[in-house]
Amino acid sequence: MRTSSDVKLAAVADAPPAPPEPTRRWRPHPLDLVAVVLAVVGAACALSGLLPRAETTATLHRILPLLLFLGTVIVLAELTAVAGVFDVLASRLAIAARGRWAALFLLCGGLATVTTLVLNLDTTAVLLTPVLLALARSLRVPAAPLAVTTVWLANTASLLLPVSNLTNLLAADRVGLTPLAYAERMALPQLAAVAVTMALLWYAWWRRERPVGGRFVAPARHVPADPVLHRTALAGCLLFVAGIVAGVEIGLASTVALALVLLGFVVRSPATLRPGLVPVRLLLFVTGLFLVVQTLGRHGLDDLVGNLLGTDGGALGALRAGGTGALLSNAVNNLPAYLAGESVLPAGDHTRLLALLIGTNVGPLAAPWASLATLLWFERCRAAGVRVPVTRFVVTSTVLAVTGTLAAVGALLLVS
């Protein structure tokens, strides 16, 4: 006698095979298209003579060390995330907070600040954002405060070291400061920018979303899947930071640190190493952007930016430079805004150059396209299914762009 189980098995065996799953067509990301278009237009500017050959050569010579640094540090950060370094840090922070919402706020803000300072703002936007979003899910708390923490501090905490932001590398080279001398000059402006950011983060986002009683249930301690890889990646990051502090050229420091981490992955997880780790999109974007902005500068952009910056010196000139940097960043993007301003200001005008830098670092928050880090952050939030209230984000980000820029430029004037 056939049982009901036999009948079910027979029915399954007689059933027609399931149709194959449709093949997903690869579609380029919008940022891929932007990068390719910029690279093609930049190449056309150089080949057509719109940008003279001598300027093209000088521009490429200037950005090659930057491209080496960007390529190596992004891969270093990606492998560091794969090794679980960020996940371990996030879980340790949540445990260290002992269930206190205010303590978690301070620790998350501190982690985002340190990540931005020593690795760069894109690392915070790309890699730390999903970690904090996952932390919010595990704690069963609103994700928006943690998400906004990463994007705000990715921008406003990117002043202190040359490695923190591509614009910093350009500014440090322009004013002829070593990494330590640059950090000494920007320490007080950085402190002012982070203080304003943390205050606004708390009152506009964290305080409004705090759980009942201001407490949460702490998660279990995160254990990395491969402790050896975890320690290797952590050692690579510490080696990179030590190299920067010792004054080693940043491209060399990031390359040596990456070599150590790559060796660990070759031994422990070779399948992780793939060509997709190389940030081709970012490298094309930067190269094309430099060539295009240089070309536009020769055909009217320099005159426009020069009128915005004016010729005022002292406090008024610095505030005007910072405001121009913030305004142009939100109109287009912070990198071309800095490049355009730098081409107009005299190399010896350190105060206005650094004020312009502050505007292009702290100011690009009011518009989603104002910095690459903000664009990447929106992408990560969308991929994680996290919706940040748009109106509230734009309004509070605009307030931060204005107050943060003013505070940081004011601090710069105190040390100038």
Side-chain angles (χ1 to χ4, degrees):
M1 183 175 66
R2 299 177 69 186
T3 64
S4 59
S5 298
D6 294 332
V7 172
K8 291 179 180 178
L9 289 174
V12 170
D14 294 337
E21 293 185 4
T23 304
R24 293 183 178 179
R25 295 180 60 187
W26 178 82
R27 292 182 179 180
H29 190 277
L31 289 180
D32 294 330
L33 298 177
V34 171
V36 171
V37 168
L38 271 176
V40 171
V41 173
C45 291
L47 295 174
S48 67
L50 286 173
L51 185 65
R53 179 175 296 182
E55 290 192 29
T56 300
T57 302
T59 299
L60 293 177
H61 179 75
R62 184 184 187 191
I63 67 174
L64 279 177
L66 305 181
L67 296 177
L68 173 64
F69 163 71
L70 282 176
T72 52
V73 81
I74 292 297
V75 176
L76 173 65
E78 289 277 3
L79 294 179
T80 299
V82 172
V85 173
F86 292 115
D87 294 305
V88 169
L89 285 174
S91 69
R92 299 291 193 278
L93 291 182
I95 293 170
R98 297 183 179 181
R100 295 169 295 178
W101 186 244
L104 182 67
F105 159 70
L106 293 174
L107 291 170
C108 285
L111 176 59
T113 299
V114 172
T115 303
T116 301
L117 291 178
V118 301
L119 286 176
N120 72 24
L121 73 167
D122 295 326
T123 297
T124 302
V126 174
L127 301 179
L128 189 58
T129 297
V131 171
L132 292 191
L133 295 181
L135 179 62
R137 287 194 297 271
S138 68
L139 298 180
R140 297 182 180 180
V141 298
L146 281 77
V148 175
T149 297
T150 60
V151 71
W152 278 10
L153 286 168
N155 287 282
T156 64
S158 65
L159 284 172
L160 183 63
L161 298 175
V163 300
S164 307
N165 199 327
L166 177 58
T167 52
N168 297 2
L169 295 172
L170 300 172
D173 177 65
R174 177 79 168 181
V175 299
L177 293 176
T178 65
L180 289 180
Y182 173 88
E184 182 180 356
R185 186 78 180 271
M186 298 301 285
L188 191 59
Q190 181 63 95
L191 180 62
V194 169
V196 171
T197 304
M198 292 294 285
L200 193 56
L201 269 173
W202 174 253
Y203 286 103
W205 291 94
W206 283 75
R207 188 181 181 185
R208 292 182 56 175
E209 304 285 356
R210 61 182 173 183
V212 177
R215 300 193 65 84
F216 61 90
V217 178
R221 180 175 179 176
H222 180 84
V223 178
D226 189 328
V228 174
L229 269 183
H230 173 262
R231 289 193 293 270
T232 303
L234 183 59
C237 290
L238 294 176
L239 179 63
F240 173 61
V241 175
I244 296 301
V245 172
V248 177
E249 197 275 324
I250 55 172
L252 178 60
S254 59
T255 301
V256 172
L258 176 59
L260 172 63
V261 177
L262 282 175
L263 180 61
F265 273 87
V266 167
V267 175
R268 306 288 297 186
S269 181
T272 303
L273 303 177
R274 62 190 191 283
L277 289 172
V278 180
V280 176
R281 177 174 69 192
L282 181 59
L283 300 180
L284 288 175
F285 178 88
V286 170
T287 304
L289 193 60
F290 268 77
L291 294 173
V292 170
V293 171
Q294 286 289 99
T295 304
L296 292 176
R298 289 183 56 86
H299 298 277
L301 180 60
D302 285 355
D303 295 333
L304 172 63
V305 176
N307 291 332
L308 290 173
L309 289 171
T311 58
D312 299 311
L316 180 59
L319 290 171
R320 190 166 177 172
T324 298
L327 179 64
L328 288 178
S329 295
N330 288 288
V332 282
N333 180 270
N334 69 326
L335 187 53
Y338 175 79
L339 290 173
E342 183 197 70
S343 66
V344 174
L345 291 173
D349 195 347
H350 291 185
T351 299
R352 285 207 296 165
L353 274 167
L354 293 178
L356 172 71
L357 176 70
I358 288 172
T360 57
N361 282 24
V362 179
L365 285 166
W369 56 81
S371 75
L372 180 60
T374 307
L375 282 171
L376 295 172
W377 173 80
F378 270 108
E379 176 189 338
R380 290 296 170 131
C381 289
R382 189 183 307 111
V386 173
R387 297 183 61 185
V388 177
V390 176
T391 302
R392 186 165 143 211
F393 176 78
V394 171
V395 170
T396 55
S397 294
T398 302
V399 172
L400 175 59
V402 174
T403 57
T405 299
L406 287 173
V409 172
L412 176 67
L413 290 171
L414 293 177
V415 297
S416 297

